[in-house]
Amino acid sequence: MKTDKKYVPSILPLKKREETQNRWLFHRLNTLLPSLMKKHNVNMWIVVGREYNEDPVLKSLYPASVDGSRRLTILVFYLDRGQHIKRWVLHPNPNFEPFYERAWNPQECDQWEGLKRLVEELNPDTIALNYSTTFAAADGLSHSYYQHLSMVLEEHSHTFVSAQHIIVDWLSIRTSKELVAYPTIAELGRIIAEEALSSAVIHPGITTTEDVVDWIRQRVLDAGMETSFYPTVDLQRKGLEMDRLEGEIIRFGDIVHLDFGIRYLGLATDTQQLAYVLHPGEEEAPEGLQSALETALRFGDIISDVMKVGRTGNEVFHGAMKKARDEEIEAMLYSHPLGNHCHEAGALIGLYDQQGDIPIKGDMPLTANTCYAMEYNIKQYIPEWNQVIPIYLEEPVAFIQNRLEYMAKRQTSFYLI
């Protein structure tokens, strides 16, 4: 498919973005969080943030008008005996309302004393704190603050448990409102990727892979967004032993591979797309390359068939790889959740450098209303090149009503430059 069109993605103005994210947050706090605390049998969750040393979860809990902890912020979530959730903040900033009720009077005591009074009044059976040896996003409570909490809440310290299971679900599960919008965000990222892999950006013999990376980063910045990670652009070239050549001028006959994502409305995307640079007189990529891409797409179909809610990441990995072997496809699989982070907490399906069982993270089941970057590659012999090459692909997908759906237009052929 030739892609000379100049794309102008429509981006919401800042005020509208904040209104959207606030609406999503209020919905998540009212609907998702109570169900997670019930699910994991936790009736109090305390999140502590320090200025310039934020707990990574806090950003997902703040309304738009709160941009940081400002010295010290303490959030307290409590599931009462009637299974209703209460939300408090110990901080003087009025912008936390109506998301959180303020539970501290600075004229009466400091924040730690206010927390102690609140906990003693509620007397919870369990207090979940943000520490974890497994999930980085769930390990945001600093050592010094853990010690301080243990001192301040000494009589309740025996009830401390890790909040990791709540955090994993909170970060990875999307509400119905978010699932309606996420495909639009994913498609926006794909459109920018398609524009980057076009003759509007790439001029064979002149443009380098680094030039394309610079163009993407500037394009996203100019649009008022940010990339979800530093993009990479690399090449596969006939006769070249290295399968991901970077920092080179793009030539006729090259495969250009892009790994890229955006962050927009608090959600991250991640995709890998491919283009072929036509030789003068060529109208299509060589048949061998097209055949290899078709094989990669077939493996993608296999993964889609195996990915089911309730199956563990390890079960999905082994199921997909067995089917690939049965069809004599040489493949690798290394998919991960998507959400607030590009590599979101949740069930892993293989790792690039660990093609087998993944302890703990791979033992987790895939859950409903979660999103994934379906990331993989296949290797195949290309007769026209007289060599084996890899085909790398990655597509954002979502479990919507327990069905796996592509969130952006799936790439089914090379973009042609």
Side-chain angles (χ1 to χ4, degrees):
M1 62 182 77
K2 293 190 177 182
T3 56
D4 293 329
K5 181 180 177 182
K6 180 69 173 177
Y7 296 94
V8 184
S10 178
I11 308 297
L12 293 173
L14 180 60
K15 188 66 175 178
K16 191 65 176 178
R17 290 190 226 181
E18 291 181 345
E19 290 173 357
T20 301
Q21 290 183 255
N22 280 344
R23 187 168 61 250
W24 290 353
L25 174 61
F26 207 64
H27 186 238
R28 287 174 65 81
L29 290 171
N30 286 325
T31 60
L32 178 59
L33 188 56
S35 68
L36 298 183
M37 293 184 73
K38 293 174 190 176
K39 173 184 175 181
H40 298 296
N41 197 29
V42 169
N43 63 332
M44 180 174 281
W45 178 26
I46 299 175
V47 186
V48 181
R50 189 185 222 166
E51 189 172 10
Y52 303 123
N53 189 26
E54 304 279 359
D55 184 308
V57 170
L58 277 171
K59 192 171 184 179
S60 71
L61 294 168
Y62 282 164
S65 57
V66 177
D67 57 7
S69 290
R70 304 284 179 89
R71 298 183 184 174
L72 174 66
T73 297
I74 303 175
L75 299 180
V76 179
F77 304 92
Y78 178 67
L79 192 67
D80 65 22
R81 303 301 188 261
Q83 302 293 285
H84 300 109
I85 195 167
K86 303 287 184 65
R87 306 188 300 267
W88 291 283
V89 60
L90 286 88
H91 196 278
N93 188 344
N95 291 323
F96 278 104
E97 297 175 330
F99 301 89
Y100 304 94
E101 179 184 347
R102 286 189 284 172
W104 169 56
N105 185 345
Q107 307 304 318
E108 295 179 354
C109 61
D110 67 17
Q111 285 157 286
W112 296 111
E113 179 61 29
L115 176 64
K116 181 179 180 180
R117 292 180 185 181
L118 185 60
V119 172
E120 288 178 346
E121 176 186 339
L122 298 171
N123 192 28
D125 296 325
T126 54
I127 299 176
L129 301 176
N130 296 5
Y131 59 83
S132 172
T133 59
T134 304
F135 300 99
D139 197 33
L141 182 62
S142 68
H143 178 67
S144 61
Y145 273 5
Y146 180 83
Q147 289 180 316
H148 199 70
L149 279 167
S150 299
M151 179 184 68
V152 171
L153 304 178
E154 182 178 4
E155 294 182 4
H156 298 270
S157 60
H158 66 282
T159 69
F160 291 175
V161 297
S162 170
Q164 64 179 8
H165 298 301
I166 293 176
I167 293 171
V168 167
D169 282 350
W170 171 258
L171 293 175
S172 64
I173 294 176
R174 309 266 62 85
T175 64
S176 57
K177 294 181 185 295
E178 292 170 302
L179 284 173
V180 170
Y182 214 157
T184 301
I185 298 170
E187 177 63 10
L188 176 58
R190 189 205 65 80
I191 288 171
I192 294 173
E194 182 179 356
E195 185 181 5
L197 297 177
S198 74
S199 56
V201 176
I202 296 175
H203 304 277
I206 299 173
T207 307
T208 68
T209 57
E210 292 172 339
D211 291 336
V212 182
V213 170
D214 292 340
W215 181 91
I216 292 169
R217 295 179 65 230
Q218 191 66 52
R219 183 76 173 88
V220 173
L221 181 66
D222 291 346
M225 301 181 294
E226 60 181 347
T227 56
S228 56
F229 59 96
Y230 202 99
T232 59
V233 175
D234 50 69
L235 307 172
Q236 285 135 282
R237 179 174 293 163
K238 180 178 180 181
L240 197 69
E241 292 185 6
M242 182 182 297
D243 63 23
R244 295 182 68 166
L245 181 65
E246 296 183 53
E248 291 288 321
I249 293 174
I250 298 168
R251 303 178 185 174
F252 297 118
D254 285 346
I255 296 173
V256 186
H257 164 254
L258 167 64
D259 191 354
F260 158 69
I262 62 171
R263 186 183 306 282
Y264 181 47
L265 296 176
L267 297 174
T269 75
D270 192 2
T271 187
Q272 293 182 47
Q273 304 272 287
L274 297 170
Y276 175 74
V277 185
L278 296 166
H279 284 284
E282 273 189 318
E283 294 186 357
E284 298 289 343
E287 288 186 10
L289 293 182
Q290 295 186 59
S291 173
L293 180 57
E294 289 171 5
T295 301
L297 293 171
R298 171 57 192 151
F299 185 50
D301 291 339
I302 289 172
I303 300 168
S304 298
D305 290 341
V306 177
M307 286 182 74
K308 304 289 183 184
V309 170
R311 289 181 178 170
T312 68
N314 289 333
E315 288 171 342
V316 172
F317 174 84
H318 289 296
M321 295 301 287
K322 181 182 183 304
K323 286 192 175 185
R325 289 192 296 271
D326 290 344
E327 297 187 21
E328 298 184 339
I329 298 173
E330 185 180 352
M332 292 177 66
L333 174 58
Y334 34 95
S335 298
H336 57 85
L338 282 173
N340 298 89
H341 306 102
C342 179
H343 287 190
E344 192 55 274
L348 287 182
I349 306 171
L351 286 169
Y352 187 84
D353 57 354
Q354 192 171 336
Q355 291 290 284
D357 282 342
I358 308 299
I360 306 177
K361 293 180 181 180
D363 293 324
M364 298 179 65
L366 279 63
T367 52
N369 303 325
T370 53
C371 304
Y372 277 81
M374 184 191 292
E375 185 175 8
Y376 61 92
N377 72 62
I378 66 98
K379 289 184 177 180
Q380 187 164 307
Y381 177 74
I382 310 301
E384 295 90 343
W385 289 19
N386 191 31
Q387 69 188 88
V388 174
I389 70 159
I391 297 291
Y392 295 93
L393 286 177
E394 184 174 18
E395 300 280 5
V397 298
F399 283 113
I400 301 176
Q401 297 181 344
N402 289 351
R403 286 187 52 196
L404 192 72
E405 298 184 11
Y406 284 84
M407 290 200 291
K409 180 182 177 183
R410 186 184 184 190
Q411 182 172 16
T412 56
S413 60
F414 287 100
Y415 301 130
L416 299 177
I417 300 170

